[in-house]
C-alpha cells in the first residue's frame, strides 16, 4: 500500500508518519523541503522526494516523480503554514493561500489519475475555518480566489499584517474543506474514492507558530501544551494517529466529502461552516484555483 504525504517532517504529520511506517505493507512516500535531512525516526523508513509547496513547479515535479513509482493508495495533504508578515510564493501569490491551498489543490489534481481503485484523498483543514467556533484566529470572510491570491485587490483586506496573515490561514483551511467538498463532483468517474477533510483540533507544541515572535513561539511550543484544556485541544500524537487512521483504517473508507474533527482527542464527523457548504462558492473556488495553477477546471 503506497501512501503519499506532505508535511510529514514535523508536528502532527510526523506523528502520522510514525504511525504509518510501522504498519506492515505500508510504503510511505513523503514530499520534503530537505529530503537529505529528515527527522531521525523517518531515516531509511520512507521514500523522501523533494517538494517545496511554495513553488508550483516543484509540486508538478513531485507529482511526476511520485506517479513514476506506481499506483497510489492514499494521498495525505497535511503540510501547512501560518504566517504573520506579508509573504509571496514563487509565483507571486499570497504565501499561506499558495502553500496551504493552491499547492495541495494542484497536487491532488496531478495525482488523481494515479490513485488506485478505492484510494483515499485527505486534506488537513482546521476548525479556524468556522466563524461559529471561537479559536482565537480571525475567521474567513470570503473564499474569492483572486482576492486571496492577491490581497491588495481585496477592498476589505485587513490593514494589519498579523491580522491579515492569521485570516489568510483560516481562509486557506476553508479552501481545503471546499476542495474536499467539490472533489467528488469533479471526479464523478471515480465513485470508489474516499475524500476526507481533517481538523486535528488545537495542537500546541508543533512548529506551526514558527513565523511568530520569540515569546509566542515559546508559549506555543512549551507552555500551551501544558496549560490549555478543552474538548477541541489535542496532541500531535493523538491527531497524528487519527490522521494515519483516516488514510488506512477500513472504518474511514467510503466517505465522500466528510469532515472529521478531533473532539476529546478522537475524530468525529462535524458539519463544516456555512461557507464551506456553499456549493456555488466551492465550484467557483475550484475553477478559479485551476486558472491560478494553470489547469483547466
Ligand atoms: N497545530 C495546530 O494547532 C493545528 C490546528 C489545526 C490545523 N493544523 C494543521 O495541521 C497541519 C500540520 O501542522 P502542524 O501543527 O503539525 O505544524 P508543523 O509542525 O509546522 O508542520 C508543518 C509541516 O508542513 C511542512 N511544510 C511547511 N511549508 C512547506 C513547504 N513550503 N513545502 C513543503 N512542506 C512544507 C513542514 O515541513 P518542514 O519540516 O520543512 O518545515 C512540516 O512538515 C497544517 O496543515 C496545519 O494547518 C494545525
Amino acid at each position: 500500500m503506497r501512501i503519499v504525504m506532505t508535511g510529514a517532517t514535523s508536528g502532527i504529520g510526523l506523528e502520522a508518519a510514525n504511525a504509518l511506517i510501522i504498519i506492515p505493507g505500508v510504503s510511505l512516500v513523503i514530499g520534503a523541503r530537505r529530503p537529505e535531512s529528515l527527522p531521525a525516526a523517518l531515516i531509511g523508513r520512507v521514500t523522501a522526494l523533494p517538494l517545496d509547496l511554495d513553488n508550483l513547479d516543484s509540486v508538478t515535479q513531485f507529482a511526476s516523480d511520485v506517479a513514476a513509482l506506481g499506483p497510489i493508495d492514499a494521498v495525505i495533504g497535511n503540510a501547512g503554514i501560518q504566517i504573520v508578515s506579508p509573504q509571496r510564493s514563487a509565483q507571486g501569490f499570497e504565501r499561506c493561500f499558495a502553500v496551504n491551498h493552491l499547492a495541495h489543490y494542484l497536487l491532488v489534481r496531478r495525482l488523481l489519475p494515479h490513485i488506485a481503485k478505492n484510494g483515499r484523498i485527505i486534506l488537513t483543514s482546521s476548525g479556524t475555518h468556522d466563524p461559529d467556533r471561537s479559536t482565537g484566529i480571525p475567521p474567513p470572510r470570503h473564499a474569492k480566489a483572486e482576492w486571496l491570491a492577491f490581497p491588495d485587490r481585496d477592498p476589505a483586506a485587513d490593514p494589519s499584517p498579523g491580522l491579515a496573515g492569521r485570516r489568510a490561514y483560516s481562509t486557506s483551511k476553508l479552501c481545503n474543506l471546499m476542495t474536499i467538498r467539490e472533489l467528488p463532483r469533479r471526479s464523478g468517474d471515480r465513485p470508489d474514492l474516499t475524500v476526507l477533510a481533517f481538523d486535528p483540533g488545537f495542537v500546541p507544541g508543533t512548529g506551526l507558530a514558527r513565523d511568530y515572535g520569540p515569546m509566542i513561539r515559546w508559549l506555543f511550543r512549551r507552555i500551551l501544551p501544558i496549560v490549555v484544556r478543552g474538548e477541541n485541544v489535542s496532541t500531535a500524537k493523538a491527531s497524528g494517529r487519527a490522521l494515519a487512521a483516516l488514510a488506512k483504517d477500513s472504518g474511514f473508507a467510503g466517505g465522500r466529502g466528510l469532515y472529521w474533527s478531533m473532539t476529546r482527542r478522537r475524530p468525529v464527523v462535524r458539519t463544516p461552516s456555512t461557507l464551506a457548504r456553499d456549493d456555488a462558492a466551492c465550484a467557483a473556488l475550484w475553477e478559479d484555483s485551476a486558472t491560478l495553477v494553470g489547469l483547466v477546471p
Side-chain angles (χ1 to χ4, degrees):
M1 180 184 201
R2 181 175 292 113
I3 299 180
V4 177
M5 187 170 171
T6 71
T9 48
S10 169
I12 298 157
L14 178 56
E15 294 294 348
N18 283 334
L20 288 168
I21 57 179
I22 58 172
I23 300 173
V26 167
S27 161
L28 187 62
V29 181
I30 69 165
R33 285 191 276 201
R34 289 170 294 278
E36 69 291 348
S37 61
L38 296 178
L42 302 186
I43 294 172
R45 308 198 66 179
V46 300
T47 301
L49 300 172
L51 172 65
D52 185 353
L53 294 158
D54 269 291
N55 189 334
L56 296 177
D57 295 338
S58 172
V59 176
T60 300
Q61 183 61 53
F62 174 72
S64 145
D65 294 346
V66 167
L69 298 174
I72 301 157
D73 296 289
V75 176
I76 305 174
N78 173 70
I81 55 170
Q82 192 174 121
I83 50 179
V84 285
S85 53
Q87 296 178 24
R88 299 281 166 177
S89 72
Q91 279 73 28
F93 304 128
E94 190 284 319
R95 193 170 162 234
C96 193
F97 176 69
V99 168
N100 295 3
H101 168 62
L102 283 180
H104 284 104
Y105 170 86
L106 176 61
L107 183 62
V108 166
R109 294 279 313 265
R110 290 278 187 212
L111 292 183
L112 200 50
H114 306 284
I115 299 183
K117 190 164 167 39
N118 299 321
R120 302 188 194 186
I121 299 171
I122 301 132
L123 293 182
T124 300
S125 176
S126 164
T128 60
H129 88 277
D130 189 345
D132 290 340
R133 294 174 70 179
S134 54
T135 62
I137 300 284
R141 282 193 309 245
H142 62 78
K144 191 171 159 49
E146 184 198 346
W147 291 353
L148 298 175
F150 307 107
D152 43 330
R153 297 182 192 171
D154 179 350
D158 292 302
S160 128
L163 192 58
R166 287 181 297 130
R167 200 184 307 278
Y169 174 79
S170 66
T171 310
S172 71
K173 297 283 125 182
L174 168 70
C175 294
N176 293 143
L177 256 167
M178 294 172 81
T179 301
I180 287 298
R181 185 173 176 90
E182 186 66 10
L183 184 51
R185 279 195 286 273
R186 300 283 172 164
S187 56
D189 57 333
R190 294 297 308 271
D192 58 296
L193 291 181
T194 293
V195 183
L196 307 174
F198 175 59
D199 160 32
F202 179 52
V203 187
T206 70
L208 195 61
R210 64 184 86 179
D211 194 54
Y212 285 78
M215 177 61 85
I216 301 278
R217 279 206 309 272
W218 176 74
L219 281 171
F220 190 80
R221 268 269 187 215
R222 305 275 171 224
I223 305 304
L224 294 186
I226 304 167
V227 299
V228 285
R229 294 284 177 271
E231 71 167 21
N232 297 325
V233 177
S234 186
T235 62
K237 195 174 275 294
S239 294
R241 283 181 178 166
L243 179 57
L246 258 54
K248 180 71 180 64
D249 288 6
S250 55
F252 295 106
R256 308 265 299 159
L258 284 185
Y259 172 47
W260 288 93
S261 175
M262 292 300 278
T263 306
R264 290 183 217 94
R265 299 193 183 181
R266 298 169 67 90
V268 299
V269 173
R270 189 185 278 264
T271 303
S273 72
T274 306
L275 184 50
R277 288 179 282 126
D278 178 333
D279 288 335
C282 291
L285 177 68
W286 182 278
E287 290 174 15
D288 294 344
S289 299
T291 304
L292 289 170
V293 303
L295 295 177
V296 288

